[in-house]
């Protein structure tokens, strides 16, 4: 289950790759590249690339900007990622 810590504005997921999969899938549906997303979201390309490739934390403001460009909310992206976790990983 995702953990949102508003005091340090970081979202940590047990399986961050799942969130990256959701973002990449939405990019594909939109016919957009990750580089284009970085530009539109105002996130440095290197940072976005790292968020989509390496598991780890993502800042909530980055997630919100990514979601806005994709026409979703950050909550929707997190919900989609949570649903993709393997059975048993949601405990």
């Amino acid at each position: 289950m995702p953990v949102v810590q508003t005091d340090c504005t970081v979202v940590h997921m047990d399986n961050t790759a799942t969130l990256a999969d959701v973002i990449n899938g939405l990019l594909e549906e939109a016919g957009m590249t990750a580089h284009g997303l970085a530009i539109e979201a105002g996130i440095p390309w290197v940072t976005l690339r790292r968020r989509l490739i390496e598991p780890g934390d993502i800042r909530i403001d980055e997630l919100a900007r990514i979601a806005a460009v994709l026409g979703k909310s950050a909550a929707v992206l997190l919900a989609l990622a949570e649903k993709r976790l393997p059975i048993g990983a949601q405990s």
Side-chain angles (χ1 to χ4, degrees):
M1 176 163 190
V3 175
V4 179
Q5 299 176 336
T6 55
D7 58 333
C8 62
T9 65
V10 171
V11 175
H12 175 76
M13 296 190 66
D14 295 328
N15 186 352
T16 309
T18 305
L19 182 57
D21 291 341
V22 167
I23 294 168
N24 283 317
L26 291 170
L27 281 172
E28 189 175 318
E29 285 178 16
M32 178 181 241
T33 66
H35 188 261
L37 173 61
I39 292 168
E40 287 194 43
I43 298 171
W45 165 235
V46 146
T47 300
L48 181 63
R49 190 172 134 251
R50 186 174 56 247
R51 302 283 190 248
L52 296 178
I53 294 173
E54 298 173 9
D57 298 337
I58 184 168
R59 291 179 13 195
I60 196 71
D61 65 307
E62 292 170 345
L63 183 60
R65 287 186 277 164
I66 289 167
V69 171
L70 295 172
K72 308 284 183 199
S73 69
V76 167
L77 294 185
L78 290 171
L80 288 169
E82 186 175 299
K83 289 179 184 177
R84 293 181 185 215
L85 289 174
I87 294 173
Q90 297 180 17
S91 55

